[in-house]
Amino acid sequence: MNISIRQRARAQKGRYAMTLAGCLLSLLIWTPDTSATQRDPATPPTVTLVTAHLLPYSIQEGREQGFMVELVREIERRLGTNRPVRFLPWPRAIRNTRLSPNHIIFPLTRTQEREPYFDWAIEVAPIHMVFVTLNGRRLDLEQARQLGAIAVQQDTPFEQYLRQQGFTNLVVTTSAAPIPIRMLRAGRVQAWFTARDLAAYSMKEQFVSGPISYSDPITSGHVYIALSKAFPDDLKDAYQSTYRAMLQDGTYQRIMSRYLRN
């Protein structure tokens, strides 16, 4: 009985030693398979298109898409990619593009503060910043300083410009148009500082029928299709060359004429 126990113990030790030796051998000859974790260089990177509800540039809901959305979707169609356009709160869209690679953002106004954080790939259209009133007054900058309150959208070049000019009579709102228009109608503000095209389109959308006055441009710039600083060069080139083709074949003007009629 004791001999049998000792024999079984020796057999178990032998099997354990063989198993251990097999494991050690497999470690020596095993090569990790990295094909599942390494991306094929030929596979295009994931690219994200972001915008916000900013009439008439990009329209989240309604019968029209906004001219910047239409331009970008036509570029995507011609490239055969047709990526979706994501609507985000405007500060988040800007932050995501600034901090993450492979983002396309529009419509982005070029300013000195934003200059180093984006690739200003495609200049699309001029933007003229004006004071809008419903009382017939065409304001200049100094007259606007004397008003009780001016509506302006938060975290935009509109707000930034007036603050740089020393304005302290601003009523800041996250809304691009509906709330400033309601404030004007209710007399809570005496003027609205925004882009002329944005104001003209929004006034029609809100059925404002009273006298609408626009100042001469207080300052001007351009809106862009901009990119993250880290962005594929080949896709940037494709976007730019496709956009140039749309300028030449009349597509750009056809789209723009439906929105900028004022």
Side-chain angles (χ1 to χ4, degrees), residues 155-180:
D155 296 328
T156 60
F158 317 131
E159 180 191 9
Q160 185 180 78
Y161 178 82
L162 292 183
R163 294 205 184 280
Q164 288 172 346
Q165 299 301 313
F167 276 67
T168 58
N169 55 346
L170 305 182
V171 176
V172 179
T173 171
T174 57
S175 170
I179 291 178

Side-chain angles (χ1 to χ4, degrees), residues 145-157:
R145 292 183 194 277
Q146 311 306 317
L147 298 179
I150 299 170
V152 67
Q153 187 182 6
Q154 183 181 14
D155 296 328
T156 60

Side-chain angles (χ1 to χ4, degrees), residues 7-76:
Q7 287 175 338
R8 284 200 297 271
R10 282 198 297 270
Q12 289 174 349
K13 287 181 180 179
R15 286 194 296 270
Y16 175 77
M18 291 177 63
T19 302
L20 180 60
C23 291
L24 290 173
L25 181 60
S26 68
L27 287 173
L28 290 173
I29 66 174
W30 177 73
T31 301
D33 179 11
T34 59
S35 60
T37 58
Q38 292 182 347
R39 184 178 63 82
D40 184 348
T43 302
T46 300
V47 173
T48 303
L49 282 62
V50 295
T51 188
H53 182 66
L54 298 166
L55 302 171
Y57 310 100
S58 46
I59 303 172
Q60 189 165 6
E61 296 178 352
R63 67 184 186 279
E64 296 182 316
Q65 303 175 63
F67 71 81
M68 294 283 280
V69 173
E70 289 200 32
L71 289 172
V72 168
R73 283 183 170 155
E74 178 61 17
I75 293 173
E76 286 283 317

Side-chain angles (χ1 to χ4, degrees), residues 183-201:
M183 288 179 174
L184 276 174
R185 282 174 149 172
R188 292 171 54 195
V189 298
Q190 292 75 53
W192 172 28
F193 189 64
T194 189
R196 193 188 192 284
D197 292 329
L198 186 156
Y201 191 93

